[in-house]
Amino acid sequence: MHIEQLKLKRLVETEGYSSITSLLEACVGDSVSPAICTRPECDYSEEMEPDQDHGWCPECNANTMKSALVLAGMV
Ligand SMILES: [Zn+2]
């Protein structure tokens, strides 16, 4: 499984959605989207711009955060 799929599943769990589809539907059209660090050993997440693909992760001190829509390849 690709890291993007794993991270989407992690966001679904941490944000309390029932599925990846419902998470993405909630993000589309919103001004913020849940984002998560893409490093395998880090699950830091926070709200970011929906098209964010290199957001700052304070845990990794690196631009490793991607929004749910970016992870899903929808933006
Ligand atoms: Zn991180």
Side-chain angles (χ1 to χ4, degrees):
M1 187 176 282
H2 290 292
I3 189 77
E4 286 83 1
Q5 288 292 312
L6 286 170
K7 293 297 181 177
L8 275 173
K9 287 195 171 203
R10 181 66 65 193
L11 272 181
V12 167
E13 290 167 11
T14 58
E15 299 289 320
Y17 288 96
S18 57
S19 68
I20 291 175
T21 303
S22 59
L23 168 70
L24 294 175
E25 283 176 352
C27 298
V28 170
D30 207 342
S31 58
V32 292
S33 163
I36 190 166
C37 181
T38 52
R39 291 217 172 150
E41 68 277 15
C42 180
D43 280 329
Y44 181 81
S45 69
E46 68 172 64
E47 304 262 289
M48 289 189 169
E49 303 80 37
D51 62 350
Q52 181 61 261
D53 64 357
H54 59 278
W56 182 254
C57 176
E59 299 287 321
C60 298
N61 287 319
N63 292 97
T64 49
M65 303 284 292
K66 291 189 180 184
S67 79
L69 294 177
V70 170
L71 288 170
M74 292 175 66
V75 289

